[in-house]
Amino acid sequence: MTEHAKLVGSGAAEVVVARKVSHAFDTATAPIQVLFDVDFALRQGEFVILTGPSGAGKTTLMTLIGALRSLQAGSLIVLGKELSGLSGEGQREIRRKVGFIFQDHNLFEALTAFQTLALAMELSGDKISSGEARARSAKLLSSLGMEGHLDRKPRQQSTGQKQRIAIARALINNPPIILADEPTAALDKETAGLVIDLIRRRVDSNKTSVVMVTHDSRVFPAADRIVNMVDGRIAGVR
Amino acid sequence: MRTRLGLGARLLLHNKVRLAVASASVAVGVIIIFVELGFLLGILDAQSLIATLAKGDLLVMNIARVDLHRWDNLYPVRLDQVAAQPGVARVTPVFEDHVGLEDKSDKRVRRIILYAFPPDDVPLDIGDPEQISRRLKVSHGFLYDRLSRPIFGSFKPGDEVKIDKFPLLVGGYVRMGADIVNDGNIVISEGDWLNRFPDAKPIMGVVHLKPGADLETVRRDILLHVPEDVVVLTPWETKMREYESTLRVAPVGILFLVGMLAGLVIGTINCYQVLYNEISDRLPQFATLKAMGFSNAYLRRVILEQSFVLSLSGFAVGLTLSYLADYYIASQTVLPVGLGAATALFVGCLTVAMCAIAGLIAIRRVAIADPAELY
């Protein structure tokens, strides 16, 4: 496999293709360049881990892929759509097809687990009944080891359980892409294993593509590729 | 799939203590508006009381009497001239003057308004006409207005009270009310009044039309055939004219309008602060919604829904407290301060508008929620 082929992956259809993506942040003194001509690709049904030291540009690359930031330079095609110059509505369209898992769960205290998932399901555009929505939510929570938690609010859940509800929120609409930032950081070994298994199953059975930023070595064996970033560049691929 | 209750409402209703505090802060503005409006309407109603109480189709007054607190009388013959017009069934004279009423307990004489009219044709809605008629026919008797301010002392039927040094018997009670200047009223019969002041002139004539008579035609006939020193208005027109006159002559309109605006501003600021804190405390959650693909329009709806819930809860609290405040004020001032359904509806709409403005300002806060900051 050539060096470029390693960087961009090969074989299956590419759901993310980044070419010469650069990005800088304005500061009070001068712009700080965080990404330098990054080439990256993610295939359908591929699980990629982004790793590297703090400030390497991993998060910035993820936010660009998720259309959470506007692209400044280069080309980034996500699910067949060029993100360069994309309108606000276009960005929202991409976001709706991406499952985001953040380090913090960011759950509304007022909503039960089911209401949280139901809110996410509103975005799917599917016309499903409340009964179907409950069944789907219960099944997903069960696969995350949370049977019987459907009607509990965040204050009735542990930190790990809240994180799993946030993961369920990202997965409930079966997004073709999942972008996860340290999803196992708040979880014990057993629960982390459950979450990784679930994500891996999604990759294998649903052909979901995953980009995960993590330093948790427990996750590494589940990944197809591990991309190491240093100083805004891709330094290596395993 | 949509949940029955919107996200905005759920977020507010989740924490009951917080909602109670938020509602109370919005209610502050509502209470100020209610009290100011209640005062204004109370004063306007009090000033135009006699027009409200008049039981007739038209009122005839001296044209110089541009407000109901002027003492320009009518020539008695004018009432006969009005009564002679086709379409007029009868005209009831109403006399008005101020007299001195002596309080037995401290012998102090206090000014009180006296009304006189024929006992057989009670022209004012001040109690049971038959009872009033019967009691007014008792010679040297008078009826005391129960809604007078308590400064006059207490009277019971049969008591002898000196009015302008003449002893009169308390024959019973009527219900009228005080205004800003006048503390109370008494009523005597036209006969008794003319007996004491044979040259007394009526202040007003209450015109009753014949069945089927057209009001505008009768009014036109009166104005055409009666000398030009009279004005002919319906009781409602008289009341509205008094409203307008009070607002023009006295600074109460501006005074209470400024008070209402202050309530509106205070309510808006309080509501904005509540919404601002609501958004600030949940900024990461709102940013998460944006990351998930929810539009700014959706978030705006959430905030406006919150502002609507706040307006309802704030209005409910404000209405309850204002009702109690108005009850107390009315009992202390004897002014007809109170909450009518129309007033409540008006203030309710104002509260919704007030909170909507606060919501629209607060929306800017949610717009800055940056989903990229979540990673």
Side-chain angles (χ1 to χ4, degrees):
Chain A
M1 191 182 285
T2 64
E3 196 57 31
H4 179 75
K6 269 191 189 174
L7 286 170
V8 302
S10 61
E14 288 164 341
V15 290
V16 175
V17 181
R19 301 275 185 211
K20 296 197 176 302
V21 170
S22 296
H23 201 85
F25 290 113
D26 284 330
T27 65
T29 49
I32 295 177
Q33 188 84 14
V34 288
L35 289 179
F36 297 87
D37 292 336
V38 170
D39 285 344
F40 173 80
L42 177 69
R43 295 191 306 272
Q44 188 181 18
E46 187 183 27
F47 186 168
V48 172
I49 286 176
L50 286 183
T51 189
S54 177
K58 313 179 291 289
T59 303
T60 306
L61 182 59
M62 279 232 296
T63 55
L64 288 171
I65 294 170
L68 300 181
R69 292 185 197 283
S70 297
L71 195 64
Q72 292 174 346
S75 163
L76 181 53
I77 297 169
V78 177
L79 298 168
K81 194 156 234 168
E82 173 60 70
L83 300 195
S84 178
L86 199 62
S87 66
E89 184 48 41
Q91 286 184 333
R92 279 192 291 280
E93 226 172 86
I94 294 294
R95 290 175 195 174
R96 285 180 198 135
K97 292 174 182 163
V98 175
F100 293 95
I101 302 171
F102 306 104
Q103 273 188 40
D104 294 321
H105 54 79
N106 296 333
L107 299 174
F108 283 110
E109 289 293 324
L111 302 185
T112 63
F114 170 60
Q115 287 162 349
T116 297
L117 300 183
L119 187 65
M121 279 186 265
E122 281 184 26
L123 286 168
S124 71
D126 297 342
K127 285 193 166 54
I128 54 170
S129 68
S130 181
E132 281 175 275
R134 271 191 84 83
R136 195 199 281 188
S137 303
K139 191 177 169 193
L140 182 56
L141 283 183
S142 174
S143 67
L144 286 163
M146 291 186 67
E147 296 88 351
H149 286 245
L150 213 51
D151 295 315
R152 291 194 195 169
K153 289 186 175 174
R155 65 181 157 79
Q156 298 165 301
Q157 320 265 20
S158 68
T159 308
Q161 288 167 337
K162 288 178 201 170
Q163 185 61 10
R164 277 182 276 168
I165 292 167
I167 291 167
R169 177 178 60 193
L171 302 178
I172 192 75
N173 291 329
N174 295 317
I177 299 174
I178 293 171
L179 300 177
D181 187 14
E182 300 282 7
T184 55
L187 305 179
D188 58 43
K189 189 181 172 188
E190 192 185 339
T191 315
L194 264 177
V195 168
I196 296 306
D197 279 353
L198 180 71
I199 291 175
R200 186 67 238 185
R201 280 204 305 277
R202 290 285 176 126
V203 171
D204 294 335
S205 56
N206 292 14
K207 295 292 173 203
T208 304
S209 308
V210 177
V211 179
M212 184 183 290
V213 170
T214 186
H215 296 97
D216 186 350
S217 56
R218 296 173 298 181
V219 186
F220 291 176
D224 296 314
R225 279 191 296 149
I226 299 171
V227 175
N228 188 33
M229 289 188 73
V230 178
D231 291 339
R233 295 176 177 87
I234 291 176
V237 180
R238 283 184 274 155
Chain B
M1 210 229 88
R2 279 198 171 274
T3 46
R4 274 174 302 167
L5 203 58
L7 178 62
R10 279 185 197 282
L11 296 181
L12 271 179
L13 298 173
H14 167 63
N15 189 333
K16 303 286 186 296
V17 175
R18 193 169 170 157
L19 176 65
V21 173
S23 304
S25 62
V26 173
V28 171
V30 176
I31 291 167
I32 294 172
I33 295 170
F34 260 130
V35 169
E36 296 290 334
L37 195 61
F39 259 134
L40 177 60
L41 293 175
I43 286 170
L44 294 176
D45 284 344
Q47 294 301 94
S48 59
L49 183 67
I50 207 68
T52 309
L53 295 176
K55 291 192 299 180
D57 301 302
L58 289 167
L59 303 179
V60 180
M61 290 175 286
N62 189 322
I63 198 162
R65 198 183 183 213
V66 290
D67 67 65
L68 295 175
H69 294 80
R70 286 178 61 109
W71 299 93
D72 306 278
N73 294 319
L74 281 167
Y75 291 112
V77 69
R78 296 286 178 261
L79 300 189
D80 298 327
Q81 290 166 333
V82 170
Q85 299 308 313
V88 174
R90 66 185 194 281
V91 181
T92 313
V94 175
F95 298 83
E96 184 182 353
D97 211 333
H98 52 89
V99 292
L101 185 147
E102 185 184 285
D103 184 347
K104 260 182 161 177
S105 60
D106 61 6
K107 302 289 177 198
R108 281 187 63 178
V109 174
R110 294 183 176 86
R111 180 180 177 275
I112 195 164
I113 299 298
L114 176 144
Y115 286 98
F117 47 76
D120 287 329
D121 189 7
V122 179
L124 303 174
D125 186 12
I126 54 176
D128 176 23
E130 277 185 30
Q131 220 171 61
I132 291 169
S133 170
R134 200 170 58 244
R135 287 173 178 167
L136 280 182
K137 285 176 182 170
V138 176
S139 185
H140 302 301
F142 78 94
L143 306 181
Y144 179 69
D145 175 15
R146 268 184 197 280
L147 300 182
S148 298
R149 295 200 173 94
I151 56 168
F152 298 106
S154 59
F155 312 100
K156 57 182 189 301
D159 282 356
E160 190 179 275
V161 179
K162 280 186 179 165
I163 291 173
D164 278 354
K165 295 180 183 168
F166 284 92
L168 289 176
L169 288 175
V170 179
Y173 303 107
V174 289
R175 292 180 67 84
M176 298 178 78
D179 62 32
I180 303 175
V181 180
N182 301 314
D183 296 312
N185 310 285
I186 60 170
V187 173
I188 69 169
S189 74
E190 180 191 26
D192 273 349
W193 187 241
L194 290 176
N195 195 31
R196 283 187 57 196
F197 298 101
D199 296 329
K201 294 174 187 167
I203 193 99
M204 183 169 77
V206 178
V207 180
H208 301 267
L209 301 188
K210 287 177 182 166
D214 176 58
L215 188 138
E216 288 309 323
T217 308
V218 173
R219 190 202 312 248
R220 199 177 55 237
D221 287 344
I222 293 171
L223 292 174
L224 205 63
H225 298 109
V226 175
E228 288 176 352
D229 57 359
V230 297
V231 63
V232 186
L233 301 168
T234 64
W236 176 255
E237 288 166 351
T238 310
K239 182 175 175 152
M240 290 301 108
R241 190 187 71 158
E242 194 63 20
Y243 269 33
E244 191 268 330
S245 160
T246 306
L247 290 172
R248 184 165 33 81
V249 173
V252 287
I254 289 291
L255 207 66
F256 290 114
L257 185 69
V258 169
M260 270 175 60
L261 282 176
L264 205 62
V265 170
I266 290 168
T268 306
I269 290 170
N270 286 358
C271 186
Y272 170 73
Q273 280 180 334
V274 169
L275 291 172
Y276 184 91
N277 291 339
E278 280 284 317
I279 297 167
S280 298
D281 291 350
R282 300 189 175 106
L283 214 50
Q285 283 84 348
F286 284 121
T288 302
L289 291 183
K290 280 189 177 181
M292 289 163 68
F294 282 99
S295 63
N296 278 327
Y298 177 85
L299 298 184
R300 278 198 287 273
R301 277 202 302 277
V302 170
I303 304 304
L304 286 177
E305 189 179 311
Q306 287 193 308
S307 70
F308 184 66
V309 172
L310 273 178
S311 71
L312 293 186
S313 59
F315 178 72
V317 174
L319 181 70
T320 308
L321 295 178
S322 301
Y323 180 81
L324 296 175
D326 280 353
Y327 182 79
Y328 176 76
I329 291 166
S331 70
Q332 294 300 306
T333 63
V334 200
L335 286 172
V337 176
L339 301 173
T343 311
L345 184 69
F346 173 70
V347 177
C349 293
L350 219 54
T351 310
V352 172
M354 177 176 89
C355 290
I357 292 167
L360 288 171
I361 302 169
I363 278 168
R364 293 183 311 168
R365 177 76 182 149
V366 82
I368 66 162
D370 183 1
E373 296 296 322
L374 292 168
Y375 275 117

